[in-house]
Amino acid sequence: MARSRSIMVKKSRSKIAGNKVNKTMGKTTKTSFLLVDDLKVEVVRKKIKNMNLSVHPPDGRVRISVPKGVDEETLRFFLTSRLPWIKKQQHRLENQKQSIPKEYIAGESHDVAGDSYSLNIIEESKEKQRAELRKGKQLDLYLRPGSDKNKREQILQGFYREYLKEKIPELILKWEPVMGVKVEDWGVKRMKTRWGSCNIRDKRIWINLDLGKKHPRCLEYIVVHEMVHLLERYHNDRFKSYMDSFLPDWRSIKKELK
């Protein structure tokens, strides 16, 4: 169910151009789109008194119905003031989507590096079983005919593992000279309660396999976080000071992962 809010506004002349006009049962509406802080909002102008803001499943699409006379400045101000609420609702929908167990069937949505891809099942008896990305946000899964859910999940996990094995060394090499530390070893594994871990004695870090689904900034944050443990064992003020120095926005990324 979509979440919505409304507010009374004073009418004034609209400044938004490029409207699409719809006439339904004698009622005229004008639809356009507005970008607010990189957020695309569908704007529907109607003969109403309130502005009604809503966030729709499954992908967090934002829609606002407004009186015909509301100008763009008023609309932008309203939407900007509601950005925290919008982000909260989108995050709630994302969590709901992720909590639904995956079936690994055609058309199902799977995240890779922070973007959502539509899964395609391609059965080939001679092709190597693998997963590949292609244009149009498509994720192709090449399988032997009759492969079950467990096999599909296994292949997709292998895809995430290879992705992380490509990205993690680049991040380690980037941050070692900056931080003045040396990572002797690293690995990728599934973890239930942590995004990463660090063995300080052996100077080895572990990264959660599920980070292959998250935006690259989340992966970098976890790599830096674990490497900082080579400078400070505990999550104390000294640790936070290091994080502030290396990644000033680390707290917002931490909230994003939560």
Side-chain angles (χ1 to χ4, degrees), residues 51-63:
M51 286 201 293
N52 299 293
L53 177 64
S54 55
V55 180
H56 298 260
D59 56 356
R61 176 175 58 88
V62 182
R63 184 177 188 269

Side-chain angles (χ1 to χ4, degrees), residues 1-216:
M1 181 181 295
R3 294 291 184 93
S4 62
R5 281 187 174 184
S6 64
I7 188 172
M8 289 286 293
V9 296
K10 294 181 179 180
K11 293 184 179 180
S12 58
R13 180 171 294 180
S14 171
K15 298 179 181 179
I16 300 179
N19 291 331
K20 178 181 179 182
V21 179
N22 299 310
K23 293 183 178 180
T24 305
M25 297 180 66
K27 297 181 179 180
T28 302
T29 64
K30 295 183 178 180
T31 302
S32 62
F33 291 92
L34 188 65
L35 281 177
V36 180
D37 193 28
D38 294 328
L39 180 70
K40 185 178 181 181
V41 180
E42 181 184 3
V43 180
V44 181
R45 293 187 175 278
K46 298 180 178 180
K47 191 176 181 180
I48 53 178
K49 294 182 178 180
N50 295 350
M51 286 201 293
N52 299 293
L53 177 64
S54 55
V55 180
H56 298 260
D59 56 356
R61 176 175 58 88
V62 182
R63 184 177 188 269
I64 185 168
S65 299
V66 300
K68 293 181 179 180
V70 175
D71 62 68
E72 183 177 344
E73 182 179 358
T74 300
L75 183 54
R76 283 187 179 277
F77 179 80
F78 174 75
L79 289 170
T80 300
S81 69
R82 295 299 187 271
L83 281 176
W85 180 82
I86 293 172
K87 298 294 185 182
K88 180 179 178 180
Q89 302 311 314
Q90 290 180 327
H91 185 65
R92 177 182 61 83
L93 289 172
E94 179 65 20
N95 286 339
Q96 288 180 350
K97 182 179 72 172
Q98 292 180 0
S99 66
I100 300 174
K102 297 294 186 182
E103 296 297 328
Y104 300 91
I105 58 177
E108 192 173 58
S109 178
H110 286 261
D111 292 339
V112 180
D115 285 327
S116 184
Y117 290 80
S118 179
L119 187 66
N120 297 311
I121 304 299
I122 303 172
E123 294 189 335
E124 296 280 357
S125 59
K126 296 182 180 180
E127 289 283 345
K128 178 183 177 181
Q129 297 188 104
R130 66 195 188 279
E132 292 181 353
L133 299 180
R134 63 181 169 91
K135 293 180 180 179
K137 296 295 180 67
Q138 301 294 309
L139 174 58
D140 295 336
L141 197 57
Y142 291 85
L143 301 158
R144 298 280 186 271
S147 296
D148 60 13
K149 173 184 173 181
N150 291 336
K151 185 61 180 179
R152 298 179 181 193
E153 181 181 11
Q154 179 185 341
I155 295 172
L156 198 51
Q157 286 179 2
F159 168 80
Y160 287 122
R161 190 178 300 276
E162 291 304 313
Y163 166 78
L164 291 174
K165 285 185 175 181
E166 177 185 345
K167 300 299 180 182
I168 293 172
E170 298 173 358
L171 292 171
I172 292 175
L173 288 175
K174 171 185 174 180
W175 285 101
E176 280 181 330
V178 176
M179 301 169 65
V181 299
K182 177 66 176 177
V183 176
E184 296 296 342
D185 194 15
W186 59 271
V188 177
K189 63 180 178 180
R190 301 193 76 179
M191 304 183 198
K192 291 184 177 181
T193 59
R194 295 182 179 183
W195 287 111
S197 64
C198 177
N199 184 314
I200 298 173
R201 184 191 64 187
D202 296 334
K203 298 184 178 180
R204 179 191 301 118
I205 65 174
W206 288 97
I207 301 299
N208 192 323
L209 182 67
D210 282 342
L211 277 169
K213 304 174 184 178
K214 303 297 182 181
H215 193 282

